[in-house]
Amino acid sequence: MDIIFYHPTFDTHYWLKALSAALPGARVREWKRGDNQPADYALVWHPPVEMLQGRELKAVFALGAGVDSILNKLKAHPDMLADSIPLFRLEDTGMGEQMQEYAVSQVLHWFRRFDDYQALKQQARWEPLADYQREDFTVGILGAGVLGSKVAEALAPWGFPLRCWSRTRKAYPGVESFAGTDELSSFLQGTRVLINLLPNTGETVGIINSTLLNQLADNSYVMNLARGVHLVEADLLKALESGKLKGAMLDVYSKEPLPAESPLWAHPRVAMTPHVAAVTRPAEAVSYIAHTITQLEKGEPVTGRVDRQRGY
């Protein structure tokens, strides 16, 4: 079995060694330009077109939860990857736990009004504030896949009203489920904290815009943990300036790295992190990939395959 690996920033030596140990007998190599030798599996992140083009692979694994970079390249180069070749994404591999930590910590930060206290601190003002009430602090999760369900699970013990919205209805304990475009407005009404964990598809690009934001509860908050293209940043800033939104926590942006001239940097009600909400944990990712390849070789059922039409 031959496996080719490409990632522009990962420690390639670690991955080759770990994959070889997890798949005894497999020949694992770093792909470099000009390498057109046979391969059975490809492990990639933002792969050059020539790496995959024309190869008869058993499967391709994206080294992250999202596959939009591959699907976008396929639009421009349809022959890069035959339709018959399965494309897999990392389903969790530690990302769910990281998203839980990020989302819970920020929801509690807003609920306990630490953002307000930080603003008062900047003014040297000592002013105890009235508590928010849990029943008025509904948390809505856009996207109810693996990561969305993990975030809902972590928030449940804190007693906030929880709801989710996705393409199809879910049945998560203690979470009110909304599905489809017809129920999006109902989902937004009364939502105080909006957490975005949607996949990047043609239908979700620009979904967090003025029309959507204006349907949230007054003095609401937005947390974007999915993709920058979901959020119209200019509309977010307008909603903050109008007072409709009270704050935002952003981990992803329309351009990355975020340009120095972006007004997001200076806005006092926008907190930011540099796309680190959930990163690939190598040991867990290697374990998942090795297990999935082993199952594929045996002809047994696997999970994590991407529906290219849906985009996830």
Side-chain angles (χ1 to χ4, degrees):
M1 180 197 308
D2 290 285
I3 300 173
I4 49 177
F5 175 92
Y6 175 84
H7 195 293
T9 61
F10 276 1
D11 180 349
T12 299
H13 176 74
Y14 168 87
W15 279 81
L16 298 186
K17 183 178 179 181
L19 286 163
S20 296
L23 291 165
R27 294 173 294 276
V28 188
R29 70 182 188 270
E30 178 185 10
W31 180 87
K32 296 182 179 180
R33 293 192 182 278
D35 177 354
N36 58 5
Q37 295 302 306
D40 298 294
Y41 297 95
L43 281 52
V44 302
W45 190 248
H46 294 285
V49 172
E50 65 180 280
M51 178 185 181
L52 303 177
Q53 199 167 38
R55 288 191 181 275
E56 295 182 2
L57 297 162
K58 294 181 180 179
V60 173
F61 289 83
L63 297 171
V67 293
D68 38 300
S69 68
I70 295 176
L71 296 180
N72 287 338
K73 281 193 176 181
L74 275 171
K75 291 177 183 178
H77 306 276
D79 59 342
M80 183 179 79
L81 192 65
D83 291 340
S84 59
I85 298 175
L87 175 61
F88 289 86
R89 61 184 176 86
L90 300 184
E91 285 191 298
D92 188 339
T93 61
M95 294 183 190
E97 182 180 59
Q98 294 174 75
M99 285 295 190
Q100 288 177 325
E101 295 165 350
Y102 196 113
V104 171
S105 65
Q106 187 59 37
V107 170
L108 294 177
H109 181 88
W110 285 326
F111 178 66
R112 290 300 308 273
R113 306 195 65 171
F114 293 152
D115 55 333
D116 290 324
Y117 284 119
Q118 180 63 19
L120 291 172
K121 183 254 187 185
Q122 298 298 325
Q123 303 170 46
R125 288 174 57 191
W126 180 282
E127 183 181 339
L129 300 171
D131 290 342
Y132 288 145
Q133 302 304 307
R134 274 178 170 76
E135 58 268 26
D136 299 327
F137 218 74
T138 297
V139 179
I141 302 169
L142 276 174
V146 173
L147 297 180
S149 68
K150 289 283 187 180
V151 167
E153 176 186 305
L155 284 167
W158 295 97
F160 301 111
L162 297 176
R163 55 178 62 167
C164 67
W165 179 83
S166 55
R167 187 181 61 85
T168 57
R169 199 172 309 284
K170 308 300 180 184
Y172 300 141
V175 182
E176 186 178 7
S177 178
F178 297 81
T181 54
D182 291 344
E183 296 184 11
L184 180 57
S185 291
S186 298
F187 163 80
L188 296 168
Q189 294 296 323
T191 292
R192 186 71 179 277
V193 178
L194 182 71
I195 303 175
N196 178 40
L197 285 165
L198 286 168
N200 180 11
T201 69
E203 292 74 29
T204 62
V205 170
I207 190 171
I208 306 176
N209 52 33
S210 291
T211 300
L212 182 147
L213 295 171
N214 286 334
Q215 296 179 73
L216 294 171
D218 291 338
N219 293 311
S220 55
Y221 301 88
V222 169
M223 195 185 314
N224 191 12
L225 307 181
R227 286 291 186 267
V229 295
H230 291 140
L231 172 66
V232 180
E233 292 169 358
D235 289 358
L236 176 80
L237 291 168
K238 289 177 183 177
L240 287 165
E241 293 304 316
S242 72
K244 179 65 178 181
L245 287 186
K246 191 170 182 188
M249 182 78 213
L250 308 179
D251 184 59
V252 290
Y253 311 89
S254 58
K255 293 182 181 179
E256 295 183 7
L258 186 66
E261 63 271 17
S262 171
L264 295 172
W265 286 110
H267 200 289
R269 288 289 179 174
V270 176
M272 303 190 303
T273 50
H275 205 148
V276 295
V279 299
T280 300
R281 289 179 173 170
E284 295 176 59
V286 166
S287 178
Y288 164 76
I289 292 168
H291 173 75
T292 304
I293 288 177
T294 300
Q295 298 301 98
L296 288 170
E297 289 292 303
K298 293 178 180 178
E300 296 180 359
V302 295
T303 61
R305 183 170 179 173
V306 172
D307 182 323
R308 295 197 201 178
Q309 297 303 313
R310 292 181 185 172
Y312 56 93

